[in-house]
Amino acid sequence: MSVSGLEPEQLAHEESVFGLSNGHLGWRGNLDEGDPRGVAGSYLNGVFEEHPMPYAEDGYGYPGVGQSVINVQNGQIIRMLVDDEPFDLRVGELLSHDRRLDMRDGTLHRTFEWLGPTGRRVRVESTRVVSLSRRAIAAVRYSVEVLDQSAEVTLISELLANEPLPIVHDDPRVQDLLTEPLVTVEADVVGSRSTLMHRTRRSGIIVAATMDHEVDGPGCRVVSDADNDKAQTTIRARLDPGQRLTIMKYVGHDFERGMTPATVRARAEVAVAIAKEDGWHRLLADQREVLDEYWRCADVVVEGEPRLQQAVRFALFQIFQAAARAEVRSVPGKGLTGSGYEGHTFWDFEGFVLPVLTSTAPDAARQALLWRHSTLHHARDRAAQLHLAGAAFAWRTIDGRESSGYWPASTAAFHINADIAVAVLHYVRATGDAEFEREFGLEILVETARLWLSLGHRDADGAFHIDGVTGPDEYSAVANDNVFTNLMAQLNLRGAADAARRHPEKLKELGVGSDEAREWEAAAADMHIPFDEERGIHPQSAGYTHLERWDFDATGPDQYLLHDNFPYFDLYRKQVVKQADLVLAMHVAHEAFTSQEKARNFEYYEALTVRDSSLSASPQAVIAAEVGHLGLAYDYLAEVATIDLDDLHGNTHEGLHIAALAGVWTAIVAGFGGMRDTADGLRFAPRLPQPLTRLKFGVRIHGHTLSLNVTALETTYQYSGDEPLTILHFDEVITVGGDDVTVRTPSLPDPGPRPQQPRHRAPRPAFGTDADGDQGRVC
């Protein structure tokens, strides 16, 4: 992934694309020298500031405290002076400038040549890494070569705190807290090592950042100092043409709430000391080893469209980066690539990202689920506040407490609890991790099952209803019997009952009575799933198909996104879909629908779905492929695959859309691969859209890899496990063991005419051009 040249107006977008992280620490792809830049960004997963939640009118159950991610101490910066002339890309002449994200090595490379105002020409090479093997460590190798005249070169390596985020808040109390959120605890220098210690003003988190250096160059002079919000190491050398000054900068970050500053400082300093002792080359070798192991299963080979191949690997790299070393922390909606959504995590992590991690990097998936388990006390408190049993997980949060002030799209969106529970069920089935289910997963399943029983009710005929909830579609709110919610709750209730039977020794500890599991099963069996007999389709929620349809013909292209141009009360009372809701239900609860119902439902909701959300194109691609509209599925895949590379939503400067990037894998594996987890085991129904000639992917099953090599006419299955694996290829039972198994692809029945989308909202042509007629700069 690379870009040549430099366009200052594109920096904010490219800083997100070129960001590096490991799930604990994230560095945006800012230029090494600090200026110019779009948006500064150095983040630690779980470091945030608390602030008041302002309401025009308060109400019972509204969260009182908000949470926002902040910038921690920035260790990326290495400023350069040539003969005391500060390097600035906007001064002198930039002769060349190239950046390259290496997704096999996990590094960001940058090279440029600069002719300064004094006539000195230098060549700079830098390589940056955020370590996947050493949770606290990031490092930079920065090398300057004088090309044609001798020059005095000065490098100033910095740690800088309280860099502002681009957040402007109407409430001055919030703005003040977020402008300078870090209070100095200590600033210290020992030789070339510097440490800054800070504490967040209200959330009380101690944050330590340490940097140290190796220096290679003729006659270098090195001086370090630190004070309050800044530490710097200055390196000077006189270079003749052809000589280089090279520094290796090691930066360590750690934090903790409720721990002494001395302990946090020691952890950061020890991490840096070990990294420096092991050296730069060992750091890179370890990075490559981690990624080699990941790519062995996770890599997806796509032949027929080179840019799709690149986009798929970019998506998989970013998903892994976002979660690899999160280790009992959340994975924010933007990962650690930007401050969008204030650094919060949402339901889309469990709904979109965890299925990918479970199938490609299950250790990271386990850690993320352990984080949810660690927040159960907050979820129980929230349920009690809402006068409900069990646990109500936060809709948007950093530390597990609810941080959304708009209850129709947060508190009422109870489906997040089933999303988490179903992610637990999927993880246990895919990995066979019985210890996790027994010690952690069962408790999540039990508490969420209890929530559904207290939230729902039975009618006079005994049917179980869940009323007054919000499904995935944010253009509908507080509806009765949302189909997605009811089906997910049904899976949750059945899964909890099954898990309880598997671990009877835990039931007393969790307070599960002898009849409770049977009550869960009865509620699941009696769950009401609305169906419109007249139209032969499922309404998104009870009565939805009887609402007035949105007037798409009267809606101009400049009026999208609809929520930026129309009041929510109007959106809520019309048939218009922001993001796939019923269509998503047909994927995650696929066994609840017949193939005929799926085809009719898909056609109906295609005409209503405007995709004002990044979460829509992927499930639309999956179901389009299942019902036979492969060309439409390919167009949706192209859209989601380039959402950040081409900045399709115009907001990538706030960070990457991690859940949408996970949807790239899902559109391929569940869409064109047809992968479904069924009562009879895994089922695949592989078909290629016309532009593609070959598709290869792998999924992890009980610690082994099942690989599929798909062509237009046949699929070859290969399994690395010692014991044979039985799966379904379409409706054919096959067993994969020591030998590869190749089976034919059945002919595709005619799916009928391609479904139509609302006016102005069809997906853009697959891998064509962006809105300005060009492909994106990043290629």
Side-chain angles (χ1 to χ4, degrees), residues 232-253:
Q232 67 179 39
T233 295
T234 303
I235 304 107
R236 285 179 169 268
R238 184 76 184 177
L239 300 181
D240 293 327
Q243 289 185 316
R244 291 174 179 265
L245 171 60
T246 301
I247 67 171
M248 274 71 73
K249 178 179 184 178
Y250 302 93
V251 183
H253 285 278

Side-chain angles (χ1 to χ4, degrees), residues 622-697:
V622 170
I623 302 303
E626 180 174 355
V627 300
H629 294 290
L630 299 180
L632 178 59
Y634 187 68
D635 286 347
Y636 280 131
L637 169 61
E639 182 172 288
V640 72
T642 56
I643 188 171
D644 286 319
L645 295 178
D646 292 352
D647 196 11
L648 297 186
H649 285 218
N651 60 4
T652 301
H653 62 278
E654 298 176 353
L656 302 177
H657 298 80
I658 299 300
L661 293 177
V664 177
W665 183 91
T666 303
I668 290 174
V669 173
F672 299 123
M675 185 176 82
R676 300 289 187 275
D677 195 355
T678 76
D680 298 319
L682 282 179
R683 179 182 188 270
F684 295 88
R687 295 190 190 277
L688 297 185
Q690 191 168 8
L692 301 185
T693 58
R694 178 173 170 256
L695 175 63
K696 184 178 180 181
F697 63 86

Side-chain angles (χ1 to χ4, degrees), residues 447-629:
E447 295 290 29
T448 49
R450 287 169 170 163
L451 177 83
W452 295 116
L453 277 194
S454 67
L455 186 64
H457 70 96
R458 291 182 183 274
D459 64 19
D461 297 323
F464 193 84
H465 299 268
I466 302 173
D467 294 336
V469 299
T470 299
D473 172 32
E474 293 168 3
Y475 285 169
S476 302
V478 196
N480 296 336
D481 287 324
N482 171 257
V483 170
F484 177 88
T485 301
N486 285 17
L487 287 173
M488 293 294 284
Q490 187 179 63
L491 292 173
N492 187 167
L493 291 162
R494 287 173 175 162
D498 290 343
R501 276 191 291 269
R502 285 192 292 273
H503 304 287
E505 74 283 2
K506 297 288 290 186
L507 300 186
K508 183 177 180 180
E509 177 184 330
L510 298 175
V512 178
S514 58
D515 294 330
E516 193 171 3
R518 285 194 291 272
E519 291 174 357
W520 300 337
E521 289 182 307
D526 296 333
M527 188 72 68
H528 178 64
I529 308 300
F531 188 76
D532 185 333
E533 297 287 353
E534 178 184 349
R535 295 170 179 83
I537 64 167
H538 289 82
Q540 185 168 282
S541 56
Y544 185 81
T545 50
H546 297 290
L547 298 177
E548 181 184 356
R549 290 172 72 98
W550 188 267
D551 190 348
F552 296 107
D553 289 339
T555 307
D558 58 340
Q559 292 180 292
Y560 293 96
L561 309 170
L562 293 181
H563 60 259
D564 288 341
N565 294 282
F566 297 93
Y568 270 110
F569 86 88
D570 204 18
L571 295 167
Y572 287 166
R573 63 196 185 95
K574 304 282 181 64
Q575 287 191 69
V576 56
V577 179
K578 179 180 180 180
Q579 61 222 59
D581 189 309
L582 194 283
V583 169
L584 180 60
M586 293 194 294
H587 174 207
V588 295
H590 57 93
E591 292 179 295
F593 304 87
T594 68
S595 57
Q596 294 81 11
E597 287 170 348
K598 289 177 183 176
R600 290 195 300 267
N601 287 340
F602 181 71
E603 182 175 11
Y604 186 87
Y605 287 97
E606 275 295 282
L608 300 176
T609 304
V610 296
R611 296 191 327 289
D612 283 356
S613 164
S614 63
L615 299 180
S616 198
S618 169
Q620 286 176 277
V622 170
I623 302 303
E626 180 174 355
V627 300
H629 294 290

